[in-house]
Amino acid sequence: MQRKSFKCGPNTPPLVKRVLLSNGWNENSDDNSNWTLFWRLDRFTRSEVEFCSPFQRVNHIPKSSEITKKDNLQRNIRRMRSVCGPIYDFIPTTFALPTERVAFVNEFSSQAESTAWICKPRGLSRGRDIIVFNDLNDLKYTGHCVVQRYIEHPLLVAGYKHDLRLYVLVASLDPLTIMLYNDGFARFSTKKYNMDNLSDFYTHLTNCSINKENPMLMQENILHEKIGSSSAQDDFASTITDLLGVGAPPKWRVKQLRDHFLKQGIDDTDLWTRISHITILTILSIIPELPKNKSCFEMFGFDILVDENLRPWLLEVNFSPSLGCDCVPDELVKEPLVRDIIDTVCDENNNNNAEGFIQPKGGFELIFPFNETTQKLSHRDSLDSKAIIEEIKSIDPFVQLVKKNPALFKMPARTPVKTTPIPKVTKIPDTNSTTKLTEKPTPKQSPLKTPIKKSVPVQITPKRTVSKTPLKMTGVEIGFDLPLHPLSKEKQASKPIFSTK
């Protein structure tokens, strides 16, 4: 029974404990090491992981904050982009504030007047304190945050913006094994998309915690405003309740979104291939920082936005994505997700096979290693990130499109990032025996060198002025066949959702 016991931290989601108990596991409430699985919300230290027995598994990887904190993510992806090229062009232009504020202002000033940016606090979630702006006077922040080019032309469903929450499982670090779950969520804004009012959260943000508070979702009787008189136009949803249903949560399952794409004749094969490659490339960006340990695993929540060209953009990577169940779609996705994670990482045959590779269970699909070459490269002692990336380049649809039409996917020019140094200060006693802070004296310069001028604070003013004229609606709309309700339990297509060709 020792190998079927689990231990939970104080704030572990009830869903995890419920699934474990229903599958015949025993809870270990004593403070000892007689457990097989330790699941908690906060991180494990490297020493805690190293002291695990071979049969024990913990649900967090030390140093995963290198991608789950927004500023760390942009720094690592920027570094990989400089080494590996456009294959890493999957996050919008990003700056960390206040460290890179000068570089950001320079970039902001060089863009068109209507260019929008989005500011996100470094460590907050659920859409808290997010600002969308195109005027520097509207940018206000109190701590560390990131500013990102706003994707102004997203793929719309019946006029509404949405993004994807996908679940990625790093099942093993040695050999490196990455899996993608075949379901997730398409999270919708609850007002028709336009660029007229950047401060309207219900239009620009897709966080469920914000949009579920929209009173429109709770109205039982809504006068539907028809888009047009033709029968084809009437098939489009005119309100969010047409799209989701009265009182429904502002989300679909990914399987429902793909079913909708199929009905509209949209081939999303390359889209999902590129998404799977984005997840692999993101993990590879921090693999040197991660321990060579077989006891830890991690489930990440990848947030992806798809633009009107069906090009996916990585917005952020979430640590301990929510496993709360507030609605039927949550129960249909998250309970099987937790069960499949446990079956995958705690299966004795998976952990003890000769090759050391963990095989996916349930709805998980193996995305790395994806061929014999990457299988040989996945062991940490022989892991070669550069060779793996070359393998991805050879099959990545984005790379092939760039080769055919480089101008179509040309990224905006990046301003070199310069940090603002903080002048050193020292305490010097004055004649009145009190102390004051003054700048450290500049050492004497050689007569052959140019003397150093004392720096004077300068207020930076952007080179452009922002027009106050309302911006026109952008984006692309795709048709919608009613009804397609998010609570539908219709059987989905059986073909693999994520593939690497």
Side-chain angles (χ1 to χ4, degrees):
M1 296 300 294
Q2 174 181 343
R3 295 178 66 82
K4 290 285 289 183
S5 63
F6 69 93
K7 190 173 182 178
C8 285
N11 297 316
T12 301
L15 174 63
V16 175
K17 186 178 295 188
R18 186 171 74 244
V19 170
L20 285 165
L21 292 173
S22 66
N23 285 3
W25 288 65
N26 293 328
E27 183 175 7
N28 182 352
S29 56
D30 299 329
D31 188 15
N32 57 46
S33 59
N34 296 325
W35 48 266
T36 302
L37 174 66
F38 195 165
W39 191 301
R40 70 187 192 193
L41 284 185
D42 50 330
R43 303 178 189 276
F44 293 92
T45 64
R46 188 180 289 261
S47 61
E48 287 177 316
V49 171
E50 289 176 350
F51 280 105
C52 287
S53 300
F55 66 88
Q56 292 179 320
R57 306 304 303 272
V58 295
N59 73 314
H60 292 306
I61 298 173
K63 301 291 287 184
S64 63
S65 60
E66 288 297 308
I67 57 173
T68 58
K69 290 186 177 179
K70 300 177 181 68
D71 52 348
N72 289 345
L73 175 65
Q74 66 89 20
R75 185 186 70 249
N76 282 301
I77 299 303
R78 179 188 292 162
R79 172 178 52 81
M80 295 298 290
R81 204 278 180 197
S82 66
V83 174
C84 303
I87 189 70
Y88 270 90
D89 275 339
F90 54 75
I91 66 170
T93 303
T94 307
F95 298 91
L97 299 183
T99 309
E100 298 170 357
R101 60 185 180 273
V102 173
F104 164 63
V105 171
N106 291 338
E107 179 74 13
F108 181 93
S109 303
S110 68
Q111 302 298 321
E113 291 186 357
S114 61
T115 301
W117 295 78
I118 185 168
C119 177
K120 307 174 185 178
R122 177 193 183 199
L124 296 183
S125 59
R126 302 193 299 276
R128 291 173 291 177
D129 295 344
I130 290 181
I131 303 170
V132 182
F133 65 97
N134 60 6
D135 187 335
L136 276 182
N137 294 324
D138 296 330
L139 175 59
K140 297 178 177 63
Y141 59 95
T142 57
H144 290 277
C145 61
V146 296
V147 286
Q148 221 171 42
R149 276 286 296 271
Y150 187 64
I151 305 298
E152 298 183 26
H153 301 271
L155 180 67
L156 305 180
V157 174
Y160 293 93
K161 179 181 175 180
H162 69 283
D163 71 357
L164 303 176
R165 163 60 61 86
L166 303 175
Y167 298 101
V168 177
L169 175 64
V170 179
S172 171
L173 290 176
D174 190 14
L176 181 61
T177 310
I178 307 173
M179 303 174 188
L180 201 56
Y181 201 57
N182 66 1
D183 208 352
F185 297 105
R187 306 176 302 180
F188 288 89
S189 63
T190 48
K191 281 190 178 180
K192 286 289 185 73
Y193 182 74
N194 65 79
M195 293 291 289
D196 293 342
N197 183 3
L198 297 181
S199 63
D200 190 340
F201 292 154
Y202 296 144
T203 299
H204 296 284
L205 302 186
T206 58
N207 305 79
C208 293
S209 56
I210 290 177
N211 282 283
K212 70 181 182 181
E213 302 297 330
N214 189 342
M216 183 173 290
L217 287 179
M218 303 305 159
Q219 295 179 13
E220 295 183 357
N221 298 305
I222 297 177
L223 295 177
H224 294 177
E225 177 184 353
K226 295 298 181 182
I227 296 178
S229 58
S230 69
S231 58
Q233 288 176 321
D234 287 345
D235 287 339
F236 285 82
S238 58
T239 68
I240 191 64
T241 52
D242 285 337
L243 183 65
L244 301 173
V246 176
K251 64 174 71 172
W252 274 354
R253 296 172 64 184
V254 163
K255 290 182 177 180
Q256 292 172 278
L257 181 68
R258 297 206 72 198
D259 183 58
H260 175 61
F261 286 167
L262 183 62
K263 291 180 179 179
Q264 299 301 321
I266 297 175
D267 184 358
D268 59 1
T269 304
D270 287 347
L271 168 65
W272 295 111
T273 301
R274 176 61 175 164
I275 287 175
S276 67
H277 291 168
I278 286 174
T279 62
I280 299 169
L281 293 166
T282 302
I283 302 300
L284 286 177
S285 72
I286 61 165
I287 198 65
E289 303 291 331
L290 304 183
K292 297 179 181 179
N293 189 284
K294 298 184 179 182
S295 295
C296 50
F297 66 93
E298 184 96 54
M299 179 190 68
F300 296 104
F302 273 62
D303 290 348
I304 302 285
L305 180 70
V306 182
D307 69 16
E308 63 182 3
N309 294 316
L310 290 183
R311 179 180 178 182
W313 297 88
L314 176 63
L315 300 182
E316 59 185 87
V317 180
N318 293 271
F319 172 80
S320 285
S322 172
L323 291 175
C325 294
D326 301 327
C327 55
V328 174
D330 283 342
E331 295 175 357
L332 294 176
V333 173
K334 294 179 181 179
E335 185 167 341
L337 169 67
V338 172
R339 184 179 296 108
D340 293 342
I341 290 174
I342 296 169
D343 290 344
T344 298
V345 301
C346 295
D347 184 270
E348 295 182 13
N349 296 326
N350 269 346
N351 294 329
N352 296 328
N353 58 25
E355 297 81 9
F357 288 101
I358 295 178
Q359 299 303 314
K361 300 287 186 178
F364 279 106
E365 297 179 11
L366 183 68
I367 61 172
F368 185 87
F370 53 83
N371 59 21
E372 291 184 5
T373 302
T374 53
Q375 193 172 32
K376 295 176 182 177
L377 297 170
S378 62
H379 293 275
R380 293 297 295 276
D381 292 336
S382 59
L383 193 144
D384 186 342
S385 295
K386 185 175 180 181
I388 294 171
I389 292 170
E390 290 301 318
E391 284 291 313
I392 295 176
K393 286 181 180 180
S394 67
I395 60 174
D396 188 83
F398 170 75
V399 173
Q400 308 308 318
L401 287 174
V402 169
K403 290 179 179 179
K404 293 179 181 178
N405 192 350
L408 181 62
F409 294 97
K410 187 177 180 180
M411 295 290 289
R414 285 177 169 81
T415 304
V417 176
K418 297 180 181 179
T419 58
T420 305
I422 301 175
K424 297 181 179 180
V425 296
T426 183
K427 292 184 179 180
I428 301 177
D430 63 9
T431 56
N432 296 326
S433 299
T434 60
T435 60
K436 60 181 180 178
L437 293 177
T438 62
E439 292 192 8
K440 190 174 182 180
T442 304
K444 293 183 179 180
Q445 303 293 318
S446 168
L448 299 179
K449 296 182 179 180
T450 305
I452 299 176
K453 295 182 181 180
K454 184 178 180 181
S455 61
V456 179
V458 178
Q459 183 176 2
I460 300 175
T461 304
K463 299 178 183 178
R464 65 178 175 88
T465 58
V466 179
S467 172
K468 300 299 181 180
T469 305
L471 303 175
K472 295 182 179 180
M473 176 177 176
T474 59
V476 62
E477 295 189 1
I478 57 179
F480 181 74
D481 293 331
L482 294 176
L484 185 57
H485 197 276
L487 309 189
S488 172
K489 298 182 181 179
E490 294 179 1
K491 187 175 182 180
Q492 305 294 329
S494 60
K495 73 170 187 176
I497 285 186
F498 306 105
S499 62
T500 54
K501 291 187 176 179

